[in-house]
């Protein structure tokens, strides 16, 4: 899917989520009265056209009433101290809803007077401002995160931001329903919406930690941090939903703040890591300014007071959700100042598209709200049709009438650099060059030509453009740009010339650098061989002690291995094994161990230098382990080649593999070398005694 298609899909799903929230909010019964808490906070007051803030004693129907306590008006169950209080609160909510289903609610005032309030169906226009504020806050978070992810899916930090936007939408929309319910709503819906609100909040916090783990400088283990964050969020949410602790402090608020504090520590770590990278530090500064302003405001005004006192500092969940929406708006400002996710060049266009869409929907809603529909859901359904059909159609017409967008040079430069990063793969470069031209001009056809041209040129009055190849003496004929909607122009010619020149310069510079690197590496290796090798050889001849001679010869062989591994040409495997056999024979002879060597390798079998280095080191380490630990009298080494696989076996008749050996650094080094050979190595004790080392790896 294209970025715009993804953004349109997310916008549509967001609108569908908002409509579902609107429908659910409209199912909550409405009483024509205003309930308030008196200044002392101890009594519930009622205000109607006939009563002026009279204190209430009880509410209910018939003979069944419950006390009119101020706790009935709390916006969020998070203000309650424990799960027992939550259950009592929900029981009260359900009692009131059941009473309202009788068509009216009876109230008893403090003076003993009773009155009955009729229950009305909540209309669309009865939804309060704070409900819409939370709906818009959640929608903004969802769309901003979706936009960043849609245009930068290759960036690791984009997906956590998108999930943060989803979490904000879940938290804001659910809170928007129950926090503006009035007096009561169905307890089951209240419980479900509260659970969704907590899931969105902890998802937001955990993915913020994942974002700071990955951005602006990825830390070690960033591959799994997203899954870890999701797992952590699910565990905290599950513990809270199942009420595994006595209070929400234990199951939710304290874990939430631990996650939040981890984000602060990660931010500090990123700040220190970006000390020598001013661009990364500037990006981090904008990120912290936007993320932590909204998050600290949300935490400071909501969750911290709840943990310490059991009461929220502010009275409206909507203001808190708006604070979190500032996080994503701050990210938008950060992208304007700095290409936060490399989408700065598209940001104003995308936002103008979104703002235009919101204005159109608002105008349509204003017009539609003047109609009279007998069905309750007629207006929301009409809004959905307008948002999904009317607006996309108008947007499509607008795009058709607008001029063609500017070429995405930054994207083309990236593709060109990636294409030229492997200058030895000529065929792949020409294939990628054809793909790049297709991205730049969107031609209806690209035809390879055998004739070479020095520069691009227009053909057939602009219907075709002849473009030279980057490497070989050929060219490509591009026909009918923009899928046949326009002709090639001189602007296209200059653009093709620019990229051809840049691509050829890139290839030339990279090849020169690689050649210089190879020459320098070869010079160093030759100097090492000539200078150090000569001194080691002299040492081996001058020393009269056999162990010193053996050590010097081993050092010479190791040095030769390093030199050969740096060569690009292959080595003869039989020669490598012959040299190795002589060295091992000297070692085993000094250790009074019999060596049996069996090799079934053809004389013309070749092996890469780097492969020979790892193979030699594995064999030497295995033999050294036998000499040091096994107390063996015999070593049997067999090497064979079967179906392109090198099969190596090293067996001894010693005491076998002990636990202390299995954890040694030598065996770990052998495992690592086997992995570099794309092979498999294993150790096993033999029934007749001793240990057997087996290696199987492909030979290229």
């Amino acid at each position: 899917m294209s970025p715009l298609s993804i953004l349109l899909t997310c916008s549509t799903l967001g609108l569908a989520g908002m409509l579902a929230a609107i429908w659910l909010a409209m199912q909550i019964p409405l009483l024509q009265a205003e309930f308030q808490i008196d200044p002392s906070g101890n009594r519930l007051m009622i205000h109607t056209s006939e009563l002026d803030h009279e204190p209430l004693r009880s509410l209910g129907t018939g003979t069944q009433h419950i006390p009119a306590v101020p706790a009935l008006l709390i916006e969020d169950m998070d203000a309650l101290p424990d799960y027992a209080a939550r259950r009592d609160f929900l029981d009260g909510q359900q009692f009131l809803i059941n009473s309202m289903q009788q068509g009216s609610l009876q109230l008893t005032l403090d003076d003993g007077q009773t009155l009955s309030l009729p229950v009305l169906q909540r209309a669309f226009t009865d939804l309060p401002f704070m409900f819409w504020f939370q709906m818009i806050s959640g929608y903004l978070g969802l769309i901003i995160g979706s936009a960043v992810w849609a245009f930068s899916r290759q960036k690791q930090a984009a997906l956590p931001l998108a999930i943060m936007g989803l979490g904000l939408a879940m938290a804001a929309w659910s809170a928007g329903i129950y926090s503006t319910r009035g007096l009561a709503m169905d307890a089951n819906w209240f419980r479900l919406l509260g659970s969704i609100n907590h899931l969105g909040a902890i998802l937001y916090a955990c993915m913020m930690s994942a974002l700071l783990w990955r951005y602006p400088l990825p830390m070690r283990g960033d591959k799994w941090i997203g899954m870890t964050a999701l797992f952590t969020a699910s565990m905290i949410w599950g513990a809270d939903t199942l009420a595994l602790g006595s209070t929400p402090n234990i199951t939710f608020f304290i874990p939430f703040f631990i996650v939040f504090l981890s984000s602060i520590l990660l931010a500090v770590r990123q700040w220190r890591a970006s000390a020598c990278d001013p661009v990364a530090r500037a990006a981090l500064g904008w990120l912290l300014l936007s993320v932590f302003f909204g998050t600290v405001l949300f935490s400071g005004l909501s969750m911290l007071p709840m943990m310490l006192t059991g009461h929220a500092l502010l009275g409206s969940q909507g203001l808190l959700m708006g604070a979190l929406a500032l996080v994503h708006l701050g990210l938008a400002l950060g992208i304007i100042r700095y290409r936060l996710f490399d989408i700065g060049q598209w940001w104003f266009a995308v936002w103008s598209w979104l703002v235009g869409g919101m204005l159109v929907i608002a105008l349509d809603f204003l017009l539609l709200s003047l109609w009279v529909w007998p069905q309750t859901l007629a207006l929301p359904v009409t809004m959905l049709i307008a948002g999904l059909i009317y607006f996309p159609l108008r947007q499509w017409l607008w795009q058709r009438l607008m001029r063609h967008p500017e070429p995405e040079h930054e994207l083309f430069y990236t593709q060109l650099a990636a294409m030229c990063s492997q200058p030895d793969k000529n065929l792949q470069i020409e294939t990628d060059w054809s793909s790049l031209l297709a991205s730049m001009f969107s031609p209806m056809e690209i035809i390879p030509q055998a004739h070479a041209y020095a520069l691009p040129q227009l053909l057939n009055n602009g219907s075709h453009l002849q473009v030279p190849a980057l490497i070989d003496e050929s060219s490509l004929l591009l026909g009918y740009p923009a899928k046949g909607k326009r002709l090639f122009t001189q602007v296209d010619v200059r653009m093709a010339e620019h990229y051809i020149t840049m691509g050829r310069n890139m290839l030339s510079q990279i090849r020169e650098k690689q050649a210089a690197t190879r020459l320098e590496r070869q010079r160093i290796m030759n100097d090492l061989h000539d200078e150090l090798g000569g001194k080691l050889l002299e040492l081996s001849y001058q020393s009269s002690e056999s162990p010193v001679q053996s050590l010097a010869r081993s050092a010479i062989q190791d040095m030769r291995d390093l030199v050969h591994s740096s060569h690009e040409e292959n080595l003869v495997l039989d020669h490598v094994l012959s040299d190795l056999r002589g060295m091992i024979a000297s070692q085993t002879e000094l250790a009074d161990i019999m060596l049996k060597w069996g090799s079934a390798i053809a004389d013309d079998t070749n092996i890469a230098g780097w492969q020979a280095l790892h193979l030699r080191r594995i064999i030497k380490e295995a033999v050294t382990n036998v000499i040091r630990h096994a107390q063996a009298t015999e070593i049997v080494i067999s090497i064979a080649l079967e179906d392109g696989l090198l099969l190596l076996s090293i067996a001894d008749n010693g005491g076998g593999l002990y636990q202390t050996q299995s954890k040694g650094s030598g065996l770990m080094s052998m495992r690592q070398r086997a992995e570099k050979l794309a092979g498999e190595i294993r150790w096993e004790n033999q029934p007749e005694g001793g240990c057997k080392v087996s290696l199987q790896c492909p030979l290229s």
Side-chain angles (χ1 to χ4, degrees):
M1 295 178 65
S2 66
L4 198 58
S5 299
I6 294 175
L7 190 55
L8 182 60
T9 301
C10 293
S11 301
T12 303
L13 294 176
L15 288 174
M18 288 179 62
L19 287 174
I22 293 170
W23 176 84
L24 185 57
M26 292 174 61
Q27 307 310 305
I28 300 175
L30 177 67
L31 296 173
Q32 286 188 331
E34 181 182 354
F35 296 91
Q36 295 178 343
I37 301 175
D38 72 342
S40 66
N42 298 321
R43 307 175 71 182
L44 189 62
M45 314 287 289
I46 183 172
H47 176 75
T48 66
S49 58
E50 300 177 354
L51 300 174
D52 185 16
H53 297 91
E54 294 292 333
L56 286 173
R57 179 189 301 172
S58 64
L59 308 93
T61 180
T63 59
Q64 296 182 342
H65 283 249
I66 61 174
V69 295
L72 292 174
L73 292 185
I74 62 171
E75 293 184 347
D76 196 325
M77 290 188 295
D78 289 342
L80 298 172
D82 51 40
Y83 290 109
R86 289 190 178 189
R87 288 190 291 268
D88 293 340
F89 171 79
L90 291 175
D91 290 341
Q93 291 284 299
Q94 192 61 47
F95 173 82
L96 292 176
I97 286 294
N98 293 338
S99 300
M100 292 180 188
Q101 290 177 353
Q102 306 300 322
S104 64
L105 182 66
Q106 295 181 0
L107 296 86
T108 303
L109 303 180
D110 257 6
D111 58 7
Q113 179 184 353
T114 62
L115 69 153
S116 179
L117 292 178
V119 178
L120 305 177
Q121 178 66 44
R122 204 176 196 185
F124 187 81
T125 54
D126 293 325
L127 298 176
F129 168 77
M130 292 310 302
F131 173 83
W132 294 112
F133 183 81
Q134 293 179 85
M135 294 297 106
I136 294 174
S137 297
Y139 186 74
L140 284 176
L142 178 65
I143 294 304
I144 293 173
S146 301
V148 172
W149 178 66
F151 287 101
S152 298
R153 278 172 286 176
Q154 74 280 7
K155 298 296 183 181
Q156 291 185 339
L159 183 57
L161 183 65
I163 299 177
M164 287 172 63
L166 175 61
L168 175 57
M170 295 169 61
W173 291 344
S174 57
I177 298 172
Y178 63 70
S179 66
T180 60
R181 69 191 183 279
L183 182 62
M185 68 177 295
D186 183 84
N188 292 325
W189 278 113
F190 206 138
R191 185 183 296 106
L192 176 60
L193 292 173
S195 179
I196 294 175
N197 176 267
H198 277 196
L199 176 59
I202 193 61
L203 191 64
Y204 183 95
C206 289
M207 294 314 298
M208 184 174 64
S209 295
L211 187 148
L212 287 170
W213 190 289
R214 292 180 169 181
Y215 186 83
L217 300 174
M219 300 184 187
R220 184 177 302 176
D222 64 303
K223 180 179 180 182
W224 302 104
I225 188 61
M227 295 300 298
T228 302
L230 291 176
F231 177 78
T232 302
S234 64
M235 290 296 99
I236 296 174
W237 177 71
D240 176 60
T241 303
L242 298 176
L244 299 182
S246 59
T247 67
N249 271 359
I250 298 175
T251 58
F252 185 76
F253 293 117
I254 292 177
F256 179 92
F257 267 90
I258 291 175
V259 174
F260 177 68
L261 290 176
S262 71
S263 300
I264 297 178
L265 295 177
L266 289 171
V268 173
R269 172 66 177 83
Q270 288 281 8
W271 188 265
R272 295 181 60 184
S274 60
C276 299
D277 191 340
V279 176
R281 176 160 284 192
L284 181 63
W286 273 106
L287 187 66
L288 297 181
L289 180 64
S290 57
V291 170
F292 283 104
F293 176 78
T295 305
V296 169
L297 185 61
F298 175 79
S299 302
L301 298 181
S302 176
M303 293 200 170
L304 186 58
M306 290 179 188
M307 288 181 60
L308 298 179
T309 67
H311 299 284
L313 183 60
L314 290 184
S316 176
Q317 278 277 345
L319 295 177
L320 301 177
M321 295 304 164
L324 287 182
L326 290 177
V327 172
H328 289 72
L329 292 177
L331 287 178
L333 295 176
I335 293 173
I336 293 174
R337 289 283 187 157
Y338 173 78
R339 298 193 306 269
L340 192 60
F341 300 101
D342 293 336
I343 64 171
Q345 58 179 331
W346 306 299
W347 194 251
F348 283 111
V350 171
W351 271 104
S352 63
W353 180 81
L354 288 174
V355 171
M358 295 178 65
L359 291 176
V360 169
I361 293 176
L363 178 61
D364 291 341
F365 164 70
L366 179 63
L367 296 176
L368 291 172
S369 63
L370 300 177
W371 300 354
V372 179
W373 291 80
Q375 296 85 3
T376 304
L377 297 179
L379 184 56
V381 171
T382 306
M383 288 181 59
L384 178 63
I385 295 175
L388 297 182
I389 299 177
Y390 175 55
F391 166 65
L393 179 61
R394 196 179 330 187
Q395 184 72 11
W396 177 77
L397 291 175
W398 179 80
Q399 290 179 341
R400 290 291 299 267
L401 296 175
M402 292 295 292
R403 64 183 179 87
H404 297 288
E406 293 295 326
E408 300 176 351
H409 289 293
E410 188 171 350
L411 176 62
F412 300 153
Y413 292 153
T414 302
Q415 294 179 1
L416 184 65
M419 176 179 62
C420 296
S421 62
Q422 299 177 327
D424 298 331
K425 299 181 179 180
N426 293 349
L427 181 61
Q428 184 63 43
I429 288 176
E430 293 301 340
T431 302
D432 293 343
W433 174 241
S434 177
S435 300
L436 178 59
L437 293 175
S439 301
M440 292 165 57
F441 302 112
S442 299
M444 294 187 65
E445 58 182 8
I446 300 180
I447 305 173
Q449 301 288 304
H451 305 288
Y453 294 85
L455 296 172
Q457 55 181 301
L458 293 173
L459 300 177
N460 302 330
N461 296 319
S463 64
H464 289 78
L465 177 65
Q466 195 86 36
V467 181
L470 280 183
I471 298 178
D472 55 14
E473 298 296 323
S474 63
S475 61
L476 296 173
L477 182 64
L478 281 61
Y480 306 100
K483 300 300 180 183
K485 298 177 183 178
R486 66 179 183 89
L487 297 176
F488 286 106
T489 65
Q490 290 296 333
V491 174
D492 299 320
V493 173
R494 291 192 293 271
M495 183 175 175
E497 290 178 356
H498 173 73
Y499 280 94
I500 289 172
T501 302
M502 180 176 294
R504 288 174 175 172
N505 289 340
M506 284 184 182
L507 288 172
S508 176
Q509 293 176 6
I510 293 175
R511 286 172 175 171
E512 291 177 359
K513 181 178 179 180
Q514 288 182 343
T517 301
R518 285 194 294 267
L519 288 175
E520 181 64 15
R521 184 186 297 116
Q522 189 61 46
R523 183 192 67 78
I524 294 174
M525 289 300 177
N526 290 338
D527 291 345
L528 181 65
H529 181 274
D530 295 341
E531 298 294 333
L532 184 58
K535 291 180 174 60
L536 289 173
L537 185 62
E538 181 180 356
L539 177 63
S540 66
Y541 284 129
Q542 291 180 355
S543 177
S544 59
E545 298 181 8
S546 181
V548 176
Q549 288 183 341
S550 177
L551 183 61
R553 291 172 181 173
S554 176
I556 293 173
Q557 188 58 53
D558 288 341
M559 182 194 64
R560 290 176 178 173
D561 290 344
L562 291 174
V563 173
H564 289 318
S565 67
S566 67
H567 293 170
E568 296 184 356
E569 63 271 11
N570 292 331
L571 305 175
V572 178
L573 179 57
D574 188 57
H575 295 173
V576 174
L577 295 175
S578 296
D579 293 342
L580 182 61
R581 179 180 182 180
M583 183 192 67
I584 292 177
S586 299
Q587 289 181 289
T588 55
E589 182 179 357
L590 290 174
D592 197 20
I593 297 176
M594 179 182 296
L595 173 64
K596 293 184 179 180
W597 184 285
S599 175
I601 302 297
D603 295 340
D604 58 348
T605 303
N606 293 330
I607 186 173
W610 65 272
Q611 288 180 310
L613 174 64
H614 293 306
L615 180 62
R616 290 176 57 88
R617 295 292 171 83
I618 289 174
I619 296 176
K620 288 174 61 178
E621 182 64 29
V623 172
T624 300
N625 287 339
V626 173
I627 295 174
R628 291 180 178 177
H629 307 293
Q631 298 180 351
T633 61
E634 181 181 87
I635 298 179
V636 179
I637 300 178
S638 61
I639 306 173
L641 190 63
E642 181 178 331
D643 297 331
L645 292 177
L646 181 66
L647 306 178
L648 168 66
S649 172
I650 304 174
D652 65 75
N653 62 350
L657 183 66
Y658 294 95
Q659 186 68 20
T660 54
Q661 290 177 259
S662 63
K663 298 181 180 180
S665 60
L667 301 193
M668 180 62 69
S669 174
M670 295 171 68
R671 288 191 184 94
Q672 293 173 351
R673 292 185 183 278
E675 291 176 358
K676 292 179 180 179
L677 291 171
E680 179 183 357
I681 189 171
R682 63 180 184 273
W683 292 260
E684 54 186 348
N685 288 321
Q686 302 184 96
E688 63 274 13
C691 175
K692 180 180 179 181
V693 182
S694 301
L695 171 68
Q696 177 179 300
C697 65
L699 190 64
S700 59

